Amino acid sequence: MKRFYKEASVSPAGDTFAITLDGRPMKTPQRNPLAVPAPALADAIAAEWAAQDEDIVPASMPLTALAQGALDQVGNERARIVSRIAAFADSDMLYYRADEGQQALIDHQAEHWDPLLEWARQRYDVGFNLIHGIRYQAQPEETVARLTAAVEAQHGFTIAAMLSLVGLSGSLIATLGLVEQAHDTETLWPLVNLEELWQERQWGRDDQAVALRDRKKAEFDAAARFLDLSRS
């Protein structure tokens, strides 16, 4: 799509902040007003549109996409999306440890993952079953219920960010660490890629895997930034 506007700006709209192009309010794909709860987020989205050249590149506007998702998808299908996120309460990657014959990796996982699980234990008063290997084992019902309630309690814009974060990380615990501002992306990203980084140290670098991880890291950072800006 060619750029069709000269100026992107922000205009107050009741309790929200609308993004406008040449003074005209923008709409989402489902025709909802593109209006967000925080002025800092609105400014950042307007900056994405202002930075476009002759051709508009949607992939270069992750905050816009997340805001559209919050207004369209979460707004219309909140229960389904909450359920998708909360499903990780029963299958978080942090629960799954190496097979018992791989003691060095087990110790490495425990050193780096156990403090994050301990934070969750104390924050939500829950317990976890740790699994060696990949065979599924259910988590305690109370754990799943309390972590699900923590997701359900969030604002729609936070839920939109969480959907992206949990999909990229495979960890609801890590995602809640960001939501609760107990951890940051630079701490969490190596943790949710711990096994891949371990294998890389053992067997050498795979350039394609590194490139994919870097792309996912950029998406992870964008979702975390969206989360922070939506509450500022």
Side-chain angles (χ1 to χ4, degrees):
M1 180 190 298
K2 294 294 184 181
R3 178 166 173 161
F4 56 88
Y5 56 91
K6 293 182 179 180
E7 181 182 27
S9 57
V10 174
S11 177
D15 294 333
T16 63
F17 302 86
I19 292 83
T20 64
L21 299 178
D22 295 337
R24 293 187 293 274
M26 292 187 65
K27 299 285 188 179
T28 69
Q30 293 188 12
R31 308 308 295 166
N32 291 305
L34 185 56
V36 300
L41 178 58
D43 288 341
I45 292 173
E48 287 185 336
W49 286 86
Q52 299 301 301
D53 292 322
E54 289 185 9
D55 292 314
I56 297 173
V57 181
S60 68
M61 298 188 285
L63 302 179
T64 299
L66 286 162
Q68 291 171 340
L71 294 164
D72 289 350
Q73 279 71 53
V74 180
N76 293 329
E77 302 177 80
R78 180 185 174 97
R80 182 182 66 82
I81 292 173
V82 165
S83 179
R84 283 181 59 187
I85 298 168
F88 285 85
D90 198 39
S91 60
D92 197 294
M93 65 163 291
L94 301 179
Y95 307 153
Y96 289 87
R97 306 302 169 91
D99 290 319
E100 293 182 354
Q102 299 177 280
Q103 192 60 47
L105 179 53
I106 290 172
D107 292 343
H108 187 63
Q109 290 168 327
E111 177 185 356
H112 293 281
W113 287 353
D114 285 1
L116 187 53
L117 288 178
E118 183 59 29
W119 166 80
R121 284 189 182 97
Q122 296 190 22
R123 173 65 182 85
Y124 302 106
D125 190 21
V126 294
F128 303 107
N129 296 323
L130 300 186
I131 304 116
H132 289 280
I134 59 174
R135 179 175 293 180
Y136 168 76
Q137 180 178 338
Q139 295 300 309
E141 290 183 5
E142 189 67 20
T143 293
V144 174
R146 291 186 178 184
L147 295 181
T148 298
V151 178
E152 291 173 337
Q154 304 304 321
H155 185 279
F157 277 70
T158 299
I159 289 173
M162 291 180 74
L163 181 63
S164 179
L165 291 165
V166 78
L168 290 163
S169 68
S171 174
L172 178 57
I173 302 302
T175 296
L176 287 169
L178 285 173
V179 170
E180 299 279 2
Q181 297 180 286
H183 303 87
D184 58 30
T185 57
E186 297 310 310
T187 299
L188 292 173
W189 187 248
L191 296 184
V192 299
N193 289 276
L194 182 143
E195 291 190 45
E196 183 177 318
L197 293 170
W198 171 271
Q199 296 297 334
E200 200 170 274
R201 286 194 292 271
Q202 307 308 307
W203 306 108
R205 175 189 174 101
D206 180 327
D207 288 340
Q208 288 186 332
V210 171
L212 176 59
R213 190 168 68 239
D214 287 346
R215 289 196 297 273
K216 292 174 66 176
K217 173 62 160 53
E219 295 178 36
F220 190 77
D221 287 345
R225 183 175 178 231
F226 180 87
L227 177 66
D228 287 338
L229 290 172
S230 66
R231 58 193 173 196
S232 63

